[in-house]
Amino acid sequence: ATNYGTWINAEMWLHGSCADITQGLCGTYNGNAGDDLYGGTPNSAGEHFKRYDEHCPAPKPPFNPCTDLGEDMTDRAEKVCRMMEENPFSKCNGVVPIGSKDGPGILKNCMSDVCNCFLDKSCVCSQLDEYATLCINKNVDLSNWLDDVDFCPMKCPDGMTYRSDGPSPPPTCGNKNPTGGETVRGCFCPEGKFFQDGKCFL
């Protein structure tokens, strides 16, 4: 896990020899992201694996912090999160839908985060960043979304800059051209420099 300032992005890589023989709660290692996380949600994945234990009770509905705050606060949280329908995010709405406040999608997740923070506006930042990353992975360029949202500062260590489309894994002094092809958000060395021991080197 790498702490990028205000939230954490965790990833795990498996050796290629694990392909086609690895299964788990998140899915299978078969090169097909479409069959990961059975059913598409944590609860549906849990229901899938429940069949191996006939005495496992049905899960309780997920906790919704907005419910405890009342309708007015829920409406205010929704208004904050609907920033994802405004510039610069609106150009991605047709490619990556934000969902609804009651159904699946990033809008509901965002509202939960904002309600958990008692409507602190800065709590929407991680969800905006997550949405930008989803859009970038669908070829909609939102790499500079922070330029348009002044209350979401991203502080990086000296010598590093924030990118929501940074390479994963990042280039290092030991491996200047890593393979992978994925993009992630976070703090990265400037172009032409390489990460090693917490610093950027030429």
Side-chain angles (χ1 to χ4, degrees):
T2 306
N3 188 338
Y4 291 137
T6 56
W7 53 88
I8 293 177
N9 183 45
E11 293 189 13
M12 182 176 74
W13 290 275
L14 293 177
H15 189 271
S17 62
C18 299
D20 297 320
I21 59 171
T22 304
Q23 294 184 355
L25 289 175
C26 294
T28 58
Y29 185 5
N30 61 2
N32 177 13
D35 66 3
D36 290 346
L37 195 60
Y38 292 100
T41 68
N43 272 352
S44 62
E47 285 292 325
H48 171 80
F49 286 100
K50 175 183 167 182
R51 69 183 181 187
Y52 299 110
D53 183 356
E54 60 189 32
H55 303 293
C56 183
K60 294 179 180 179
F63 171 70
N64 184 348
C66 295
T67 304
D68 291 344
L69 296 179
E71 189 174 336
D72 178 58
M73 298 290 253
T74 300
D75 290 344
R76 289 167 62 188
E78 181 180 3
K79 183 177 179 182
V80 169
C81 291
R82 286 207 177 268
M83 286 185 62
M84 287 182 272
E85 295 177 320
E86 300 171 4
N87 187 51
F89 306 100
S90 57
K91 65 183 176 183
C92 184
N93 292 167
V95 179
V96 181
I98 65 170
S100 69
K101 66 178 183 178
D102 299 315
I106 198 165
L107 177 63
K108 184 177 180 181
N109 295 342
C110 176
M111 290 176 62
S112 180
D113 279 5
V114 172
C115 286
N116 259 328
C117 295
F118 299 101
L119 300 182
D120 181 343
K121 203 173 182 181
S122 66
C123 289
V124 77
C125 298
S126 64
Q127 293 295 330
L128 294 178
D129 194 58
E130 178 65 24
Y131 186 67
T133 301
L134 291 171
C135 294
I136 289 165
N137 288 336
K138 293 286 186 179
N139 298 316
V140 179
D141 185 13
L142 285 176
S143 55
N144 296 317
W145 71 269
L146 281 168
D147 294 345
D148 296 294
V149 184
D150 58 2
F151 61 84
C152 290
M154 173 52 71
K155 296 178 181 176
C156 288
D158 288 343
M160 301 183 84
T161 57
Y162 174 83
R163 289 179 59 184
S164 61
D165 63 344
S168 174
T172 64
C173 292
N175 185 0
K176 295 182 179 180
N177 296 298
T179 57
E182 294 290 320
T183 62
V184 295
R185 59 196 181 281
C187 296
F188 295 87
C189 294
E191 196 73 32
K193 291 191 175 183
F194 304 93
F195 187 74
Q196 193 69 39
D197 301 325
K199 295 182 180 179
C200 297
F201 296 91
L202 285 173

